[in-house]
């Protein structure tokens, strides 16, 4: 990475997407603007930036060359930068910076998710998926439907098929059968691995969409690794 996006702790596993930021110092350096002009622009649009998120800053210990107050280095999160960077114009340097900054925000999010998944898999699980879903903080939103929703997510992910496609594997599909009855041994092994991730994320209080994205990403990563190995 190019160190365009920062995080205040060395432990990335404690981060959330909202904790990643760039600074007015980085913005000035990479866009060809003076630090003062970038800082002045932040102050001019402070109200708008704070509508997005609280405007944070750090204080440079070294005083300005002319003396006086220490320098404020403003921190802008991804949503704030999406609003702010276009205010600097459309010079080649600004366009290139926007491109590189967007790539690094995405890279940081992917790295964060990969670490969270790795930690989840390593944690010993004392609960079944059924227990975890039933005790989930979001359970009341869909009730027992969550069991079907999440098991269907896992089954369709490991097979690459739709729910209808999985059921079509059996000409005599009946309600008393489960999707697990229609998985191959290899698919079942992947299913159990992903089930562990889901349990860990549910126990951590995650909502459904991050769980869904983590499951999709883990399979995409596995496919990429397999393709590389066989190339």
């Amino acid at each position: 990475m190019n160190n365009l996006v920062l995080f205040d702790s060395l432990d990335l596993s404690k981060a959330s997407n909202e904790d990643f930021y760039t600074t007015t110092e980085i913005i000035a350096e990479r866009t060809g603007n003076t630090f003062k002009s970038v800082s002045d622009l932040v102050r001019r649009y402070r109200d708008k930036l704070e509508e997005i998120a609280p405007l944070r800053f750090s204080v440079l210990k070294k005083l300005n060359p002319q003396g006086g107050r220490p320098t404020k280095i403003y921190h802008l999160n991804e949503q704030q930068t999406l609003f702010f960077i276009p205010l600097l114009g459309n010079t080649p340097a600004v366009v290139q910076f926007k491109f590189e900054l967007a790539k690094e925000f995405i890279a940081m999010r992917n790295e964060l998710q990969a670490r969270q998944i790795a930690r989840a898999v390593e944690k010993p699980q004392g609960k079944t998926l059924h227990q975890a879903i039933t005790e989930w903080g979001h359970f009341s939103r869909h009730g027992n439907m969550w069991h079907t929703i999440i098991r269907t997510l896992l089954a369709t992910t490991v097979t690459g098929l739709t729910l209808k496609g999985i059921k079509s594997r059996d000409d005599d599909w009946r309600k008393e059968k489960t999707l697990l009855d229609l998985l191959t041994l290899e698919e079942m092994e992947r299913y159990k691995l992903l089930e562990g991730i889901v349990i860990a994320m549910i126990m951590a209080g995650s909502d459904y969409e991050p769980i869904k994205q983590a499951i999709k990403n883990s399979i995409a990563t596995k496919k990429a690794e397999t393709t590389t190995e066989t190339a």
Side-chain angles (χ1 to χ4, degrees):
M1 296 184 185
N2 298 318
N3 294 323
L4 303 181
V5 177
L6 307 176
F7 172 58
D8 288 331
S9 171
L10 293 177
D11 188 355
L12 186 62
S13 66
K14 295 179 180 178
S16 67
N17 292 340
E18 291 75 20
D19 294 323
F20 302 138
Y21 65 89
T22 193
T23 70
T24 43
E25 188 175 33
I26 293 171
I27 293 171
E29 178 183 345
R30 298 301 295 266
T31 62
N33 288 276
T34 65
F35 176 76
K36 182 178 184 305
S37 66
V38 172
S39 300
D40 287 345
L41 198 59
V42 168
R43 286 187 283 269
R44 185 187 309 170
Y45 290 95
R46 184 184 190 108
D47 290 345
K48 291 294 185 184
L49 290 166
E50 291 191 327
E51 285 183 27
I52 300 171
L55 186 57
R56 306 185 185 280
F57 62 88
S58 55
V59 177
L60 192 64
K61 295 180 181 179
K62 183 179 178 181
L63 295 178
N64 291 326
Q66 297 81 11
R69 296 180 179 179
T71 302
K72 280 186 178 180
I73 308 293
Y74 291 101
H75 300 181
L76 304 183
N77 68 21
E78 184 174 8
Q79 290 70 37
Q80 288 170 322
T81 61
L82 286 173
F83 164 76
F84 183 76
I85 300 300
L87 300 175
L88 297 172
N90 207 32
T91 66
V94 171
V95 170
Q96 183 62 28
F97 176 67
K98 284 193 292 186
F99 175 74
E100 293 178 1
L101 189 64
K103 282 178 56 179
E104 191 153 342
F105 269 118
I106 292 171
M108 287 289 279
R109 290 201 301 271
N110 290 342
E111 174 70 11
L112 169 61
Q113 190 168 75
R115 293 197 191 189
Q116 288 175 333
I117 290 173
R119 284 170 63 90
V121 172
E122 290 172 0
K123 290 181 180 178
Q125 301 301 334
K127 293 182 182 292
T128 65
L129 180 59
H130 183 87
Q131 289 174 314
I133 293 173
T134 302
E135 297 172 9
W136 193 16
H138 301 283
F139 180 79
S140 60
R141 195 160 75 230
H142 292 299
N144 285 324
M145 282 297 298
W146 276 125
H147 296 288
T148 300
I149 292 169
I150 291 178
R151 292 186 184 281
T152 300
L153 167 68
L154 294 176
T156 55
T157 300
V158 299
T159 60
L161 300 173
T162 63
L163 179 59
K164 183 178 180 180
I166 298 173
K167 291 181 177 180
S168 70
R169 288 178 168 182
D170 187 349
D171 294 333
D172 187 29
W173 171 261
R174 297 185 302 275
K175 287 185 178 180
E176 60 267 23
K177 292 185 178 181
T178 71
L179 294 179
L180 297 183
D181 295 324
L182 304 180
L183 302 186
T184 67
L185 178 59
E186 182 180 355
E187 289 166 349
M188 179 60 76
E189 290 175 350
R190 293 203 299 268
Y191 183 100
K192 297 304 291 183
L193 174 63
L194 297 184
E195 187 180 61
I197 295 173
V198 172
I199 293 172
M201 294 185 72
I202 286 177
M203 291 175 65
S206 177
D207 205 342
Y208 176 70
E209 283 303 320
I211 291 174
K212 179 180 179 181
Q213 192 59 51
I215 295 306
K216 297 295 184 183
N217 286 352
S218 63
I219 287 296
T221 301
K222 180 66 176 176
K223 287 181 179 178
E225 290 175 351
T226 302
T227 302
T228 301
E229 289 172 1
T230 57

